[in-house]
Structure formats: C-alpha cells, structure tokens
Amino acid sequence: MIDFHCHLDLYSDPNPTLERCQRLGLGVLSVTTTPSTWPGTSQLAMGRPLIRTALGLHPQLAKERRHELPLFDRYLPETKYVGEVGLDGTPHCRTFWADQEVVFNHMLGRCEEAGNKILTIHSRKAATPVLDALDLHPRIEVSILHWFSGTQSELRRAVDRGCWFSIGPTMLRSTHGRNLVEAIPRDKILLETDGPLTSLQNKALRPWDTRLALRELATLWKVEVSEVEETIANNEDFTWSL
Ligand code: MN
C-alpha cells in the first residue's frame, strides 16, 4: 500500500514513522510545502526505496515563499514528483490569489518543460482554476488531485482530463466526499493520509492509516475489502512505475 500524499517532514520525529513504514512495506510519497525543505526532506528517503519525495510549494505559502521559486527550479531535476502544489480559494488565501497564480503557473511551466513529472495537487475551493491552469499546460500528463472537494461537474472535467485522485479516510467521512468518490472511476483512485496535517479523533494520521479508507471503500463499492485492496494495488503498481 502507498500513501500518495503525506508530509513526513512535518511529524515531530519522522524517523520512527519511516521505520515502521519500511517494516510494513508501505510506500510513501513524501510531499514538501517549500522548496527550501527539499534537501532535508529528500534526505529522509535515502536508503529507503519505498519512500519517494516530491518537491513543492504549497499554495497557502505562495505569498511568503514566492521568493523560493529559483530553488524550485534548481531542485526540480532531482525528482520526478512535484507537490504539494496548487491553488487555494478559501477566503484568507484569496487575499494573495495573484501570488498563488504566479507560483503555480511557474511550477507547471517548469514541469511541462522538464517532462515526465507526477504532480500531487491541492485544489480546495479552486478546482475550476486548477483545471484551467492544467489546460494551459497540456503536456503535463500525470496529475493526482489530492483530497478533491469540488463539485460533481468539476469532478467530471477532471476525470475527462485523465486526472488521478488520492483519497483519505477523512474525505470518506463526509457525504459530499463519499458522493465524489462514488463518481470517480475505480481505476483512478489512490490512497493518502495528508498526515500529520489531518487527524482523526485528535490523532495525526500516519501512512498506515490509509487502510482505514479501504473499509470505507468496500462499503461504498459494496465489495469485499480484499477486492478494494486488489483494485488499489493495481492502480498503485501503475502510477508507481510511471
Ligand atoms: Mn497536504
């Protein structure tokens, strides 16, 4: 199993978490929120083949970290994975929307030039502008929409574009989230936790908590958990080997 969106570097002590992942055979796509954290975070994956690191600049930090874009350009050749990137349309983040657009479009342009990148994308209250931005960069082939929370029509547009969706246990707790997940093609679904930024019962999620989503998916799809596991494993094999 693979956690496709986890902020490993934000746990107070990431090493025990990493060691447990290794013992359990769990893969993690470890995302960063600023380019300046790339060296330290990618170091965590050294000697741990199941951990892969993504280079990102979180939209919520677009204003305060925009000056780090040259670092993004410098580190980009070191990785195939980019994230967390995207746009955030919640009221506070709307106040620096122009910075968000500059930052996101810059990174999309660089990814498109470089080719062969896999992106994990934040689109809270901004699914339409994220999809518009992706449309302007048609050579970006693999985008994974993380914790998608847009409308059903935005979802259809993303599906038509060939997007993947990483979903976590928390998304499956809301009716809107479950309705969205039901409408996503089963062969486009990956798992995530968004830990430690996301908690359940006041406990920060860890990569092995992806399995909580398996049970919810089994209920939703009216199949056995083993069948969900098989579907997810096929999707993971495909994306992890791209
Ligand atoms: Mn995140």
Side-chain angles (χ1 to χ4, degrees):
M1 219 155 51
I2 299 168
D3 181 348
F4 267 89
H5 187 107
C6 182
H7 298 264
L8 277 179
D9 60 348
L10 301 182
Y11 291 101
S12 54
D13 181 3
N15 277 306
T17 298
L18 279 156
E19 275 151 29
R20 184 155 171 206
C21 289
Q22 201 69 31
R23 275 199 309 279
L24 294 168
L26 281 173
V28 180
L29 182 56
S30 159
V31 298
T32 53
T33 52
T34 63
S36 55
T37 50
W38 167 261
T41 308
S42 56
Q43 194 70 32
L44 293 171
M46 293 287 253
R48 291 169 164 144
L50 293 173
I51 314 297
R52 300 182 185 176
T53 316
L55 170 67
L57 202 167
H58 197 292
Q60 292 168 354
L61 301 172
K63 184 179 178 178
E64 99 190 45
R65 300 303 182 108
R66 182 176 163 167
H67 65 276
E68 290 188 20
L69 283 176
L71 283 180
F72 178 89
D73 299 348
R74 187 199 299 173
Y75 297 133
L76 187 61
E78 296 179 25
T79 184
K80 180 177 187 149
Y81 299 93
V82 170
E84 179 165 359
V85 296
L87 296 169
D88 189 309
T90 53
H92 168 66
C93 296
R94 278 259 162 211
T95 63
F96 51 87
W97 184 257
D99 297 287
Q100 291 194 55
E101 285 193 319
V102 167
V103 166
F104 189 43
N105 283 315
H106 174 95
M107 296 187 291
L108 289 177
R110 287 291 185 268
C111 289
E112 195 173 39
E113 274 163 35
N116 199 27
K117 302 291 182 193
I118 296 178
L119 283 68
T120 170
I121 302 176
H122 174 113
S123 59
R124 187 162 58 168
K125 300 255 186 268
T128 291
V130 161
L131 293 166
D132 290 344
L134 287 173
D135 280 350
L136 294 174
H137 300 89
R139 282 180 292 129
I140 291 179
E141 282 173 22
V142 188
S143 10
I144 306 170
L145 297 177
H146 129 73
W147 197 338
F148 186 81
S149 57
T151 63
Q152 288 283 345
S153 67
E154 288 169 326
L155 176 72
R156 275 192 298 277
R157 190 176 158 201
V159 168
D160 289 344
R161 198 191 185 274
C163 291
W164 291 78
F165 299 84
S166 58
I167 64 163
T170 322
M171 178 172 174
L172 287 158
R173 302 261 150 146
S174 80
T175 309
H176 180 59
R178 280 196 302 275
N179 289 340
L180 287 169
V181 172
E182 260 191 310
I184 300 173
R186 294 182 190 184
D187 62 357
K188 288 292 184 180
I189 289 187
L190 300 165
L191 302 180
E192 67 161 58
T193 60
D194 202 20
L197 300 181
T198 299
S199 306
L200 262 185
Q201 279 134 21
N202 292 322
K203 268 187 79 183
L205 292 178
R206 307 267 173 176
W208 45 86
D209 293 319
T210 46
R211 85 193 131 140
L212 300 173
L214 294 176
R215 267 179 259 143
E216 307 262 0
L217 281 173
T219 312
L220 204 61
W221 293 349
K222 301 184 181 68
V223 298
E224 296 295 320
V225 173
S226 59
E227 195 179 325
V228 177
E229 280 177 311
E230 207 182 306
T231 303
I232 298 293
N234 285 334
N235 298 347
E236 291 174 347
D237 284 349
F238 180 76
T239 39
W240 214 230
S241 62
L242 285 170

